[in-house]
Amino acid sequence: MRLNGKVALITGAARGQGECEAKLFSAEGATVVVADVLSTLGEKVAQDISSGGGKATFVKLDVSSEKDWVLAIQHTLDKFKALNVLVNNASIYRTTTIENTSMEEWDDVISTNARGAFLGTKYVIPAMRKANGGSIINICSTTGIVGSSRGGAYGASKAAVRILTKHAAIQHASEGIRVNSISPGSIDTEMIAENIGTPQGRAASIKRIPAGRIGTAEDVAYGALFLASDESSFITGSDLLIDGGMTAQ
Ligand SMILES: NC(=O)c1ccc[n+]([C@@H]2O[C@H](COP(=O)([O-])OP(=O)(O)OC[C@H]3O[C@@H](n4cnc5c(N)ncnc54)[C@H](O)[C@@H]3O)[C@@H](O)[C@H]2O)c1
């Protein structure tokens, strides 16, 4: 029960890594707020947790909307009286090359991924201050650290969140609010189905990973669990690479 007594809000928790984190955090004693734009799937994740004996609720949240954030945090505080952990996990992925990226696509990616994490951090701080501390975990990506032959907007959005993490960590360390990021490599979820959906695509991805496999949602969720728990109480402003060694070479 590594998260006993904590309330955690996880964005993008209707599926993929966010769903896995919601279920793992609940199994470790947390009360979980499952937040996403996908209501049917999100409600089901909360229902699965509740029917397994955990405590969870779903809240519809578009992370790019300031109004949605204010309402989601207020709803959490009304229902559970505190908010101790925020995982800024929601994101959209695009692989368009820079030359072919439209203004609209650039703005979509930046406003979901970077503005979303900024708004979440901004609006959760007062609640965490009231609880005498908390842990914010921003899910970034190795594409925010190294370049690639495709994409551009996505990597730029993740690099923005990676450095936002360090600024927030410094601004709130003295209040007991820790802010860390995780940079996953290739993780087997719907997000990268276009990359690993064919045997050739999967093989090409694995070739770049020293560990010799694609990561799983659990690989990332266990990192998030550590950063959410008091076991990491002296860790703030750090970035945890979970990439099978891809960026070590
Ligand atoms: N899968 C990978 O290979 C990989 C690699 C590096 C980083 N990541 C990051 O990991 C995180 C989780 O991704 P995943 O692999 O589980 O992908 P996923 O596509 O399965 O999940 C993303 C979730 O975010 C939600 N979402 C999208 N836009 C939203 C919005 N505006 N408001 C609220 N929710 C929204 C989606 O509905 C979905 O439930 C993301 O931040 C992603 O960028 C993934």
Side-chain angles (χ1 to χ4, degrees):
M1 297 301 254
R2 294 160 70 185
L3 299 182
N4 217 6
K6 294 192 193 293
V7 180
L9 189 154
I10 304 171
T11 69
R15 67 180 200 203
Q17 295 173 49
E19 173 181 3
C20 187
E21 282 150 12
K23 291 180 173 169
L24 179 63
F25 283 20
S26 167
E28 292 290 343
T31 296
V32 178
V33 180
V34 174
D36 208 295
V37 281
L38 302 175
S39 300
T40 310
L41 286 179
E43 299 269 17
K44 185 172 179 312
V45 172
Q47 187 54 49
D48 286 352
I49 291 173
S50 305
S51 50
K55 220 166 154 191
T57 192
F58 171 74
V59 63
K60 188 160 185 198
L61 165 71
D62 174 350
V63 293
S64 66
S65 159
E66 189 169 27
K67 189 173 125 249
D68 279 12
W69 269 111
V70 172
L71 291 173
I73 289 174
Q74 196 50 55
H75 176 72
T76 304
L77 296 176
D78 290 347
K79 204 169 163 97
F80 300 124
K81 311 292 171 226
L83 182 44
N84 312 102
V85 176
L86 169 66
V87 185
N88 281 313
N89 165 76
S91 153
I92 55 172
Y93 176 61
R94 300 287 181 269
T95 54
T96 322
T97 58
I98 294 165
E99 189 181 12
N100 292 314
T101 297
S102 64
M103 285 283 286
E104 193 186 23
E105 184 171 310
W106 172 268
D107 288 345
D108 265 4
V109 171
I110 299 293
S111 79
T112 303
N113 302 2
R115 174 151 51 129
F118 154 69
L119 288 174
T121 303
K122 177 181 161 90
Y123 284 106
V124 85
I125 291 289
M128 289 189 173
R129 182 178 290 130
K130 214 167 151 201
N132 293 316
S135 174
I136 301 174
I137 300 152
N138 292 326
I139 308 299
C140 297
S141 168
T142 52
T143 60
I145 303 172
V146 294
S148 88
S149 54
R150 300 180 305 157
Y154 178 79
S157 74
K158 294 298 190 175
V161 177
R162 191 165 177 268
I163 194 64
L164 183 80
T165 301
K166 297 182 195 298
H167 285 278
I170 288 171
Q171 289 168 28
H172 299 287
S174 66
E175 299 177 293
I177 301 170
R178 300 182 297 107
V179 193
N180 293 288
S181 58
I182 294 179
S183 289
S186 295
I187 305 296
D188 201 343
T189 66
E190 271 184 64
M191 182 169 276
I192 60 159
E194 68 172 270
N195 302 352
I196 61 168
T198 62
Q200 300 92 308
R202 181 171 275 267
S205 289
I206 291 174
K207 220 169 152 191
R208 295 183 292 120
I209 305 170
R213 68 172 176 89
I214 305 286
T216 64
E218 285 78 13
D219 289 325
V220 180
Y222 276 104
L225 170 62
F226 171 64
L227 291 173
S229 78
D230 295 338
E231 295 156 12
S232 57
S233 64
F234 199 51
I235 302 180
T236 195
S238 75
D239 183 45
L240 178 59
L241 277 158
I242 302 183
D243 69 348
M246 195 171 70
T247 51
Q249 48 199 339

